[in-house]
Amino acid sequence: MAHHHQDATDFLPMDPTVPANYDKDLEGGKGTTEHVENASIDGKRPTERDIQYDGGDSVEKPRTGLRKLLRRNPSVEFMREVAEANETELDPYEVKRVERKLYWLIVPALFIDYIFYYIDKTTLSYAALFDFKTDLHLKGADYNNLSSIFYIGWLVWAIPGNLLLAKFPLAKYLSINIFLWGVFLMVQASSKDYGDMVAFRFVSGMFEAVADPCFVAITGMWFTRRQQPTVIGYWYAGNGVGIALGGILGYAIGHIGGSLASWRYEFLIIGAVCSIWALVMGFLIPDSPHTAKWLTRREAVITMSRKRHDHHTVEKRQLKWDQVKETVLDVKIYLYFLLGFFANVPNGATSNFGTLVIKGFGFSTLNVTLLQIPYGTFIAVMILLAIYVNHKTHYLNIRTLLMAGVTVLTVLGFALMAFTKGIAPRLIGYYLTGSSNSVFVLALSLVSGNVGGTTKKVLASAAIFLGVAVGNIVGPYSFLASEAPVYRTGIIVCMASRAAEIVVILALRVCFVIPNRNRDRKFNNGDERYNPDVQVFVDLTDKQNLHFRYVA
């Protein structure tokens, strides 16, 4: 099979080797492409072809007032150039150079975002190790409520926030939201009592609701379906780094001998760094290939054309009601929701109670924060391992089976925590539960690669993250204060949730494999409407586009 042969540069963005007879000037014409969409297009070309494409922004129509803020649709001219490029074989060296540029432009920035994203969400659990609970007079289930209210804010804003994502330039929209997380993290430092903290955590949760969907959308826009799990894995590994760094930062900040309580510095310092980073990121990451200042016109066309077999049309600014209706009726969307839910009942619990459970093993506060370092490292290693195995087995189409297999490890981890007595097996069990992060990476790549249509993609993304939010809200309540510090009920609930996740993953596999088989059969019987090698430029969903095939 042709796709058995795999180049290491597919997995790691290395310098491509220059072919001996290579003399192409890639940077030619850069002068005319100061801003890609304003690039000069010289008359009609002999090869020019008509394409079926709706909703292009015309270059003549002035972008004034509020229109300036909206996402830019690619022009018909740009789409025509992509269609023409699709009819030729792209130069592999040229593609590699463009891809390497994209990797270094986008992946490190998203990786840093994710470190902040994780530290931001767990600041509360580090604050809990210091005098936070006493200072705010927390009692009973107050701490559980503070863990959950964050996700209630997230839940409230998930759908409206995601629909706005289809309207505004992606990277700018994400930067503004990250800037506001930072601001509200700093504001949490001013809390006088439980009521203040509830209000600030609620608003913080709202601004974080669009983060993951934005990360997934940016990955889907710039990288091929084959590369998406790997790229998602690279930035999601920031999660593990965030845990390890959070432990060190939490400990260091906890020992600042200033005039304020140490937990207040935690919120202030992390919030400030987060907001500064948001400004840098807004400048660095381009919003789309056709508006990228860092790419020449040719590079932008290659960026799109190399995705010709992904059934991925150019991202456009629009909301289509027929796609909304299809989304509501598609059983896979509900499975995505359940996948997000069952994956995050344990997450909501362990991200807020993990440090307390370990403290219950008999470790000091200092050692609890330090034990997060191997935990974070294990998570990052598991993510890289999972995306590498997935990359190597891509041609077998067994991504869902890989996810189910790794989830078995997390069930084992919770079983060790719940049913063994010694510190060592329980700690090993706790670390094993971290392998769930690598499953979620592959789950996100299923959403980014298996949903067609701009509106449907946004809503499918919202569905999995609604599940994430509800799971994170429910999870902490299974940890009963009366069972501290062992929390056996909570740990058994987590174990059951992971087992249910395996069932959902296998159900999704069935939903992907059956349509693929049906479409392949019809194509093999001579029906060209099902030809998997045809690319369309109209904004169609995976059900409407008969050429579409699912990654299973």
Side-chain angles (χ1 to χ4, degrees):
M1 254 175 137
H3 30 283
H4 261 93
H5 170 69
Q6 283 172 359
D7 189 341
T9 51
D10 282 350
F11 191 71
L12 292 166
M14 298 172 183
D15 259 332
T17 46
V18 187
N21 58 351
Y22 198 78
D23 62 347
K24 227 179 227 186
D25 177 16
L26 281 189
E27 298 303 305
K30 194 158 191 173
T32 59
T33 52
E34 207 37 64
H35 191 289
V36 174
E37 269 301 45
N38 302 339
S40 58
I41 300 183
D42 27 274
K44 278 241 178 209
R45 299 202 204 121
T47 56
E48 203 164 276
R49 62 198 289 282
D50 288 323
I51 55 164
Q52 218 192 338
Y53 172 65
D54 52 343
D57 274 359
S58 82
V59 181
E60 294 78 49
K61 204 168 174 186
R63 290 173 59 81
T64 51
L66 281 175
R67 270 179 61 84
K68 273 187 176 166
L69 300 176
L70 294 175
R71 187 186 280 204
R72 276 189 165 190
N73 287 340
S75 63
V76 178
E77 291 85 355
F78 178 75
M79 293 308 299
R80 191 174 285 120
E81 284 183 46
V82 173
E84 283 167 13
N86 285 355
E87 288 169 2
T88 64
E89 193 63 46
L90 290 176
D91 182 330
Y93 173 66
E94 205 176 358
V95 172
K96 281 275 181 289
R97 268 187 67 174
V98 170
E99 286 186 340
R100 187 170 181 274
K101 194 169 180 177
L102 296 180
Y103 259 106
W104 291 114
L105 197 57
I106 291 161
V107 178
L110 289 180
F111 174 74
I112 294 168
D113 283 351
Y114 222 77
I115 293 175
F116 280 120
Y117 184 51
Y118 194 84
I119 292 178
D120 197 48
K121 283 193 297 197
T122 50
T123 314
L124 189 73
S125 69
Y126 292 116
L129 293 172
F130 297 101
D131 298 324
F132 167 74
K133 291 182 172 180
T134 334
D135 289 358
L136 295 186
H137 315 295
L138 301 187
K139 51 190 185 300
D142 285 355
Y143 180 71
N144 303 51
N145 295 341
L146 286 177
S147 307
S148 294
I149 193 73
F150 179 88
Y151 289 99
I152 292 170
W154 168 315
L155 206 57
V156 165
W157 191 242
I159 299 277
N162 276 287
L163 289 174
L164 286 176
L165 186 150
K167 284 277 181 199
F168 291 103
L170 258 181
K172 303 282 184 299
Y173 185 64
L174 177 59
S175 313
I176 289 166
N177 277 281
I178 293 178
F179 181 78
L180 292 169
W181 304 344
V183 169
F184 276 90
L185 205 57
M186 290 189 278
V187 169
Q188 285 175 48
S190 69
S191 300
K192 302 274 189 298
D193 55 28
Y194 170 67
D196 289 354
M197 202 63 176
V198 166
F200 299 147
R201 296 269 306 161
F202 178 83
V203 179
S204 285
M206 281 174 62
F207 290 121
E208 293 211 12
V210 297
D212 270 319
C214 270
F215 294 150
V216 173
I218 288 171
T219 306
M221 177 187 280
W222 291 100
F223 296 97
T224 64
R225 209 154 64 146
R226 164 103 184 258
Q227 293 164 337
Q228 284 165 23
T230 306
V231 171
I232 291 173
Y234 287 147
W235 55 252
Y236 205 92
N239 205 337
V241 177
I243 292 173
L245 263 182
I248 300 165
L249 275 175
Y251 182 70
I253 295 172
H255 287 78
I256 294 176
S259 52
L260 296 175
S262 56
W263 63 267
R264 294 188 194 273
Y265 285 112
E266 182 117 9
F267 288 113
L268 279 173
I269 293 170
I270 292 171
V273 177
C274 191
S275 290
I276 293 164
W277 166 249
L279 299 174
V280 176
M281 205 211 84
F283 173 73
L284 277 184
I285 298 191
D287 292 302
S288 59
H290 56 279
T291 58
K293 289 186 167 67
W294 312 111
L295 299 179
T296 63
R297 177 77 164 211
R298 172 73 184 155
E299 288 171 336
V301 168
I302 289 173
T303 299
M304 290 311 306
S305 182
R306 73 192 220 290
K307 301 179 65 162
R308 62 184 70 170
H309 300 304
D310 290 359
H311 312 295
H312 173 106
T313 182
V314 172
E315 300 283 347
K316 294 209 288 292
R317 179 190 74 244
Q318 59 196 16
L319 185 62
K320 288 194 163 181
W321 289 106
D322 62 319
Q323 293 193 13
V324 173
K325 185 182 173 191
E326 183 185 307
T327 306
V328 172
L329 298 174
D330 189 343
V331 68
K332 292 190 293 296
I333 302 300
Y334 299 94
L335 289 171
Y336 289 142
F337 171 82
L338 289 174
L339 184 59
F341 174 76
F342 287 125
N344 282 277
V345 166
N347 184 59
T350 49
S351 64
N352 291 297
F353 286 89
T355 51
L356 301 176
V357 170
I358 295 183
K359 201 171 180 181
F361 293 171
F363 293 108
S364 68
T365 302
L366 165 61
N367 288 341
V368 171
T369 54
L370 295 179
L371 281 168
Q372 293 297 309
I373 299 170
Y375 180 54
T377 310
F378 175 72
I379 287 174
V381 168
M382 277 302 291
I383 289 172
L384 293 174
L385 197 62
I387 59 176
Y388 187 69
V389 172
N390 175 66
H391 179 77
K392 285 295 185 195
T393 57
H394 180 79
Y395 63 94
L396 296 171
N397 219 10
I398 54 165
R399 193 174 300 175
T400 39
L401 297 179
L402 189 63
M403 288 163 63
V406 180
T407 309
V408 171
L409 279 181
T410 64
V411 174
L412 175 68
F414 283 116
L416 284 172
M417 284 175 77
F419 305 117
T420 60
K421 292 282 175 275
I423 290 178
R426 282 158 71 198
L427 192 60
I428 289 167
Y430 175 67
Y431 284 167
L432 274 179
T433 64
S435 42
S436 61
N437 289 275
S438 56
V439 178
F440 201 62
V441 166
L442 298 178
L444 293 182
S445 73
L446 286 181
V447 178
S448 71
N450 275 347
V451 185
T454 308
T455 306
K456 187 176 180 184
K457 218 181 199 98
V458 163
L459 291 171
S461 200
I464 193 167
F465 291 113
L466 277 174
V468 168
V470 178
N472 275 296
I473 291 167
V474 171
Y477 289 106
S478 62
F479 279 64
L480 311 171
S482 58
E483 291 187 350
V486 179
Y487 298 113
R488 191 156 179 205
T489 307
I491 289 167
I492 291 171
V493 166
C494 291
M495 185 178 79
S497 189
R498 288 281 176 226
E501 188 183 345
I502 296 174
V503 176
V504 174
I505 291 168
L506 296 176
L508 269 171
R509 180 171 178 82
V510 172
C511 294
F512 297 143
V513 170
I514 291 174
N516 279 359
R517 279 188 190 151
N518 291 341
R519 288 178 175 186
D520 285 345
R521 191 183 67 246
K522 287 173 181 165
F523 174 59
N524 293 336
N525 291 341
D527 190 337
E528 276 301 316
R529 291 175 306 163
Y530 293 91
N531 183 347
D533 293 328
V534 172
Q535 191 191 17
V536 292
F537 291 99
V538 190
D539 187 27
L540 296 176
T541 66
D542 45 288
K543 284 194 173 178
Q544 293 165 342
N545 179 2
L546 304 178
H547 306 294
F548 195 97
R549 296 294 187 275
Y550 296 102
V551 177

